[in-house]
Amino acid sequence: MCGIVGYVGFRNATDVLMEGLKRLEYRGYDSAGVAVKVGGRLEVLKKAGKLSVLGDVLKDEKLPGHFGIGHTRWATHGAPNDPNAHPHTTEDGRIAVIHNGIIENYLPLKEGLLARGHHFTSETDSEVLAHLIEEKYDALPGSPGRLVEAVRQVLQEVYGAYALVVAHQDHEEIVVARTVSPLVIGLGEGENFVASDVPALLPYTRRVIFLHDGDMAVVSRAGVEVTDLRGNPVEREVVEVDWSLEAAEKGGHPHYMLKEIYEQPRVLENTLGGRLHEEHANVELDLNLDPARYDRIHVIACGTAYYAGWVGKYLIESLARIPVEIDVASEYRYRDPVVDERTLAVAISQSGETIDTLEALREAKRKGAGTLGVINAKGSSITREVDDTLYIHAGPEIGVASTKAYMAMLGAMAMLAVWLGRARGTLAEADAKEFLGELRKLPRLVEQALEQRAHVAHIAEKYHQAADYLFLGRHIQAPTAYEGALKLKEISYIHAEAYPAGEMKHGPIALIDERLPVVVLTTDSPFYEKTLSNIQEVRARGGRVIAVATEGDLEARRFAQDVIYVPRTHHLLAPVVSVVPLQLLAYETAVLLGRDVDQPRNLAKSVTVE
Ligand code: F6R
């Protein structure tokens, strides 16, 4: 949550900060601010609202300088207004602080500071850090290491989550520290960078250091020194990131979300690429975990990743016959789950930084589980805490509403199910070969599903004024229904509910009338007839049915007012092709309603607060 950028070097720092923040705006867009050293002083400009509001102010008030820090905020403590925007400074403006996360003991610390005569201008927990650093700094003797030492001393007193970035007008260096909230350092020649996520760095460098929990660093023009919180030097690997700049931009589409929807065939190819081996009736996942050790799986994830996990449950239980429990991560850690060393905890996450997922994973680990991450972002926090990682290779996902990462997660979970099924002897060689053949076809089938866009746009036009939507799906298509409803509510703000189709008659049926569009996933499966009966139940009560059906299914036309056809595939892979029209339906509806598709209200891409 929140985007951070820092720069020290020879370029115009304001330009670097604004360019970086633009690429991080998906992490939060309640307010934005920069502090740039101009003529020996830190000049701060901060504004409530999107980054463009700050950009407009900066057109008039240029801040020329080569050293600065910037922030785009997703509010936690304090309303999204100008005073609560970061950076926060000391009263004399010498020190500027940017903080992402939550300082849990900020209230007693603030009371102490107030009693000692400090004045506060914001309601944030973060401002406390600026004042505490000032106190420690002033008490230390003048030396080049004075700022970092002051920050280090403050960090002994605070607890909570932070990605912290500190600048002082008398030190041309950025002092950073992280616990829980991510931070990455970009390495240049005669310049160095700090950011909360890689896309901000891509115009300047691909050589990065991902800081670990409990790391601090001093970033200057000359170099970067990483230490632990006590000041002991630590070695961190320099990673070469292979994301292209173009991959992180819109590529001609009006929105990142649409670009990412269209990228899905290629993404799926990347996910599956080189890993399917029909000749051996298996997949090559490069995992070290021992499948014989486990007799149950706990999948933990949030939001869209959770729905991918739910699809994974059906895949794994069908192909590998291991019981799989799925949990929303924020619930898992508090329900005292029954876990032992024969439990494999699988954390699914695009960002690899979602704090609920990370904490649930830690809970499983504490109880003795083995751990696997199914993750997109390389070097992210979850990847560092799990025993093993299965990367989904979706590339950078910028649209706040997740699409291509979901697709890649489905591909990864299908491969995991095959791998487990083969290792446990529950998936016969011939069946594995057939299933792998179907998996290999998926990128092309997703391409075909995308061809329905104009038809889906027409349906969106018909129903975009609806106040509510209902989504129904059975078995492995139940999670698809939930994902379709989530996408629609996230970006169009239309209220949407999802139910397993058979559950409808136990209550939600009362909602049905001629104003309610009901999306029913009725693709080919052993349960097809049952779902068709559910459609009839909706029609009998005047509901408007939009069926997502397998191409060639003429029966669906008899019952549904609108049918969206998707290509035929193995019924366990139907979620992969069926989610595409639901993503498009959400997208087209949001555009018709004039919503901000890439930055829907109240959301943030990476949720690093509980
Ligand atoms: C939905 C969405 C969120 C995320 C959730 C988990 O479109 O983007 O529901 O799926 O916050 O995020 P990750 O996968 O980064 O853990």
Side-chain angles (χ1 to χ4, degrees):
M1 215 84 74
C2 303
I4 295 176
V5 185
Y7 177 72
V8 52
F10 50 84
R11 301 174 202 253
N12 181 306
T14 311
D15 291 348
V16 175
L17 300 179
M18 290 303 283
E19 181 64 34
L21 291 177
K22 209 159 68 194
R23 289 162 198 281
L24 296 182
E25 214 187 354
Y26 63 91
R27 296 179 66 90
Y29 33 83
D30 290 335
S31 63
V34 293
V36 176
K37 187 173 165 189
V38 183
R41 282 190 53 80
L42 290 176
E43 296 288 343
V44 176
L45 264 181
K46 50 190 197 174
K47 284 279 158 212
K50 295 198 171 180
L51 189 62
S52 55
V53 178
L54 178 67
D56 287 344
V57 179
L58 279 167
K59 275 186 204 136
D60 301 329
E61 296 194 40
K62 301 251 179 289
L63 295 182
H66 305 294
F67 165 51
I69 57 179
H71 187 254
T72 172
R73 176 171 187 244
W74 187 81
T76 53
H77 287 59
N81 55 25
D82 287 1
N84 289 337
H86 297 227
H88 293 288
T89 56
T90 47
E91 280 162 64
D92 60 8
R94 272 180 304 160
I95 298 173
V97 163
I98 284 175
H99 161 237
N100 178 9
I102 294 174
I103 300 302
E104 288 176 17
N105 58 335
Y106 85 101
L107 275 175
L109 291 170
K110 186 169 177 175
E111 278 160 21
L113 285 160
L114 286 168
R116 296 195 292 278
H118 289 259
H119 296 284
F120 284 77
T121 54
S122 79
E123 306 151 292
T124 64
D125 52 334
S126 311
E127 191 184 353
V128 163
L129 294 167
H131 293 270
L132 287 173
I133 294 167
E134 177 184 38
E135 277 192 347
K136 300 290 184 199
Y137 183 90
D138 288 344
L140 284 164
S143 77
R146 190 172 170 190
L147 180 61
V148 64
E149 181 53 31
V151 175
R152 188 171 291 128
Q153 288 182 9
V154 168
L155 293 179
Q156 310 303 319
E157 291 178 17
V158 301
Y159 57 85
Y162 51 80
L164 176 65
V165 174
V166 184
H168 189 299
Q169 66 181 27
D170 301 335
H171 300 255
E172 283 223 354
E173 63 192 21
I174 306 170
V175 176
V176 304
R178 77 155 278 185
T179 288
V180 182
S181 306
L183 263 185
V184 50
I185 294 172
L187 303 175
E189 298 290 330
E191 59 179 351
N192 286 302
F193 308 79
V194 176
S196 43
D197 207 352
V198 172
L201 306 175
L202 289 178
Y204 311 105
T205 182
R206 292 204 154 60
R207 294 175 60 235
V208 304
I209 297 172
F210 292 100
L211 292 185
H212 294 198
D213 266 1
D215 282 355
M216 291 186 73
V218 180
V219 180
S220 64
R221 278 183 76 145
V224 175
E225 281 168 40
V226 186
T227 63
D228 63 17
L229 290 178
R230 278 188 221 86
N232 304 311
V234 290
E235 283 285 324
R236 292 289 171 236
E237 191 191 353
V238 176
V239 178
E240 193 82 32
V241 288
D242 52 10
W243 296 358
S244 71
L245 189 56
E246 195 227 332
E249 285 176 349
K250 284 186 207 156
H253 291 284
H255 300 101
Y256 283 113
M257 183 183 177
L258 190 63
K259 173 194 172 231
E260 288 163 2
I261 289 173
Y262 273 98
E263 270 174 5
Q264 291 182 114
R266 196 152 48 79
V267 163
L268 205 49
E269 243 156 32
N270 280 347
T271 310
L272 306 174
R275 288 164 155 178
L276 309 181
H277 294 283
E278 286 93 327
E279 67 285 10
H280 303 129
N282 213 336
V283 290
E284 178 54 73
L285 298 183
D286 214 11
L287 295 177
N288 297 317
L289 63 88
D290 172 13
R293 179 183 145 187
Y294 302 107
D295 54 23
R296 68 175 139 183
I297 291 178
H298 285 183
V299 173
I300 41 192
C302 302
T304 287
Y306 170 79
Y307 298 135
W310 190 358
V311 172
K313 169 186 166 74
Y314 286 105
L315 285 160
I316 293 169
E317 289 188 341
S318 293
L319 305 185
R321 307 305 299 155
I322 311 178
V324 180
E325 284 180 42
I326 51 160
D327 269 271
V328 169
S330 52
E331 288 293 318
Y332 183 81
R333 59 188 291 219
Y334 299 114
R335 76 163 167 92
D336 196 11
V338 179
V339 174
D340 59 23
E341 65 291 343
R342 297 194 60 77
T343 308
L344 175 65
V346 179
I348 309 180
S349 174
Q350 186 285 126
S351 61
E353 301 291 349
T354 301
I355 189 70
D356 289 320
T357 309
L358 187 58
E359 289 294 349
L361 179 84
R362 287 176 177 157
E363 176 67 12
K365 233 171 137 171
R366 260 195 300 275
K367 292 183 165 214
T371 53
L372 172 69
V374 178
I375 306 291
N376 191 35
K378 279 191 195 159
S380 55
S381 300
I382 294 178
T383 64
R384 291 203 298 275
E385 299 206 15
V386 283
D387 301 332
D388 229 338
T389 302
L390 175 56
Y391 280 109
I392 64 170
H393 297 311
E397 189 179 64
I398 308 294
V400 167
S402 180
T403 52
K404 65 175 183 170
Y406 181 70
M407 179 70 52
M409 285 168 187
L410 296 185
M413 292 309 282
M415 289 190 294
L416 184 63
V418 171
W419 186 73
L420 290 169
R422 291 301 285 150
R424 292 167 56 86
T426 53
L427 180 62
E429 187 176 332
D431 294 341
K433 282 187 175 165
E434 190 201 327
F435 192 75
L436 291 174
E438 294 292 327
L439 264 176
R440 191 175 287 285
K441 285 188 216 151
L442 281 178
R444 199 164 40 77
L445 301 187
V446 171
E447 193 98 56
Q448 284 171 28
L450 284 165
E451 288 166 12
Q452 293 293 318
R453 180 168 168 210
H455 179 52
V456 175
H458 171 71
I459 295 171
E461 171 80 49
K462 227 163 129 179
Y463 297 112
H464 73 282
Q465 299 293 2
D468 310 277
Y469 254 87
L470 186 61
F471 287 73
L472 302 174
R474 201 175 264 276
H475 190 252
I476 203 165
Q477 290 286 47
T480 314
Y482 279 75
E483 173 59 7
L486 179 64
K487 288 287 94 83
L488 188 69
K489 56 190 155 197
E490 271 184 305
I491 60 166
S492 76
Y493 317 147
I494 293 179
H495 168 244
E497 291 225 36
Y499 271 90
E503 184 67 7
M504 181 188 64
K505 55 189 170 298
H506 299 288
I509 197 163
L511 297 171
I512 291 171
D513 64 17
E514 63 292 344
R515 290 187 307 274
L516 184 74
V518 184
V519 177
V520 188
L521 290 137
T522 179
T523 46
D524 246 14
S525 79
F527 326 102
Y528 171 76
E529 298 294 339
K530 295 252 180 278
T531 314
L532 220 52
S533 318
N534 299 131
I535 292 188
Q536 281 161 307
E537 288 157 13
V538 174
R539 280 306 295 271
R541 284 152 185 90
R544 328 265 294 175
V545 175
I546 304 162
V548 177
T550 305
E551 61 192 357
D553 174 2
L554 300 179
E555 191 73 358
R557 270 203 200 290
R558 289 191 28 225
F559 299 113
Q561 280 95 340
D562 294 282
V563 181
I564 304 168
Y565 284 115
V566 291
R568 181 176 302 279
T569 178
H570 191 291
H571 80 94
L572 290 177
L573 298 175
V576 176
V577 290
S578 310
V579 74
V580 174
L582 304 191
Q583 296 166 338
L584 288 169
L585 180 67
Y587 175 80
E588 298 292 352
T589 305
V591 170
L592 282 165
L593 292 171
R595 308 296 190 220
D596 189 341
V597 171
D598 282 332
Q599 295 179 350
R601 69 184 179 204
N602 304 337
L603 293 176
K605 183 71 186 155
S606 166
V607 185
T608 51
V609 289
E610 276 188 69

